[in-house]
Amino acid sequence: MSAYEHPDVAELALPAVLFALSDPARLEIVGRLALWREGQTPLVCASVGPDMPKSTRSHHLKVLREAGVTRSVQVGRERQLSLRRDDLDARWPGLLTAVLAGVPVPA
Amino acid sequence: MSAYEHPDVAELALPAVLFALSDPARLEIVGRLALWREGQTPLVCASVGPDMPKSTRSHHLKVLREAGVTRSVQVGRERQLSLRRDDLDARWPGLLTAVLAGVPVPA
């Protein structure tokens, strides 16, 4: 069950999505989320921005979530994060793929 | 001859390019520039942002130029504008195409 609000796919707006992606720290988070594969341990805040101060990371995660780039789900005491790849691909085919190709692979 | 500074293709940075594209007015300008075809009359400021106040348009054109999305060339009393499509395609294949597909075709 999620306490976080997320825009529906029809509500996603290109300027907001591009703005959310226009920051190196947010691109790093998105790059880490993109590496996640079905069946792996869900990603949580600490794993997507390990070197950021917590408040900075929270801010970036909020910008990404509100733009519709990521999904945050509270599961017990954990906040699990994922990339809304299908939703973004449905609205702007090829956009996320092109952006991710330009993001350095996180260590 | 151009009095404007433009980043080289190697200097283009993804966050700056995405930021430049993250505004509806700038997306409109980019959409108009994308419609231009070789052999047509060169586009000038008034033709790419016809409904914007001049100062607003100048600001947006500066953000686009400094990020490397557009090129401004002073020719006589005119400032001719173009999209750096080849440069952007070289650095981030598919990015501009995906963005343009999401921009409403200007009237």
Side-chain angles (χ1 to χ4, degrees):
Chain A
M1 194 145 72
S2 168
Y4 298 104
E5 301 227 342
H6 297 86
D8 287 338
V9 59
E11 290 170 336
L12 302 184
L14 186 58
V17 167
L18 294 172
F19 178 77
L21 296 170
S22 73
D23 179 277
R26 291 197 291 272
L27 282 177
E28 182 192 330
I29 292 173
V30 168
R32 288 182 190 274
L33 289 171
L35 293 177
W36 186 83
R37 291 292 172 268
E38 198 79 38
Q40 294 180 344
T41 308
L43 291 172
V44 295
C45 296
S47 33
V48 296
D51 304 322
M52 295 173 207
K54 197 174 166 182
S55 61
T56 306
R57 191 171 60 205
S58 290
H59 164 71
H60 288 316
L61 289 172
K62 184 169 186 277
V63 173
L64 287 167
R65 174 174 56 77
E66 289 181 347
V69 175
T70 60
R71 193 173 291 283
S72 301
V73 181
Q74 195 69 32
V75 180
R77 297 181 62 174
E78 271 184 355
R79 181 174 174 183
Q80 298 183 351
L81 301 163
S82 58
L83 197 54
R84 293 179 63 178
R85 195 189 282 261
D86 290 350
D87 290 342
L88 293 167
D89 286 350
R91 288 294 306 277
W92 302 289
L95 176 64
L96 190 62
T97 302
V99 169
L100 287 171
V103 175
V105 177
Chain B
M1 196 143 70
S2 168
Y4 299 104
E5 300 228 343
H6 298 87
D8 287 337
V9 60
E11 291 171 335
L12 301 184
L14 186 57
V17 167
L18 294 172
F19 177 77
L21 296 170
S22 72
D23 179 276
R26 291 197 291 271
L27 282 177
E28 181 191 333
I29 291 173
V30 168
R32 288 182 191 272
L33 289 172
L35 292 177
W36 186 83
R37 292 291 171 268
E38 199 79 37
Q40 294 179 345
T41 308
L43 291 172
V44 294
C45 297
S47 32
V48 295
D51 304 323
M52 296 174 207
K54 198 174 166 183
S55 61
T56 306
R57 192 171 60 206
S58 290
H59 164 71
H60 289 315
L61 289 172
K62 184 168 187 276
V63 173
L64 288 167
R65 175 175 55 78
E66 290 181 346
V69 176
T70 60
R71 193 173 290 282
S72 301
V73 181
Q74 194 70 32
V75 180
R77 297 180 64 174
E78 271 186 355
R79 182 175 174 183
Q80 298 182 353
L81 302 163
S82 59
L83 198 53
R84 293 179 63 178
R85 195 189 284 259
D86 290 349
D87 290 342
L88 293 167
D89 286 351
R91 288 293 305 277
W92 302 288
L95 177 63
L96 189 64
T97 302
V99 168
L100 286 171
V103 174
V105 177

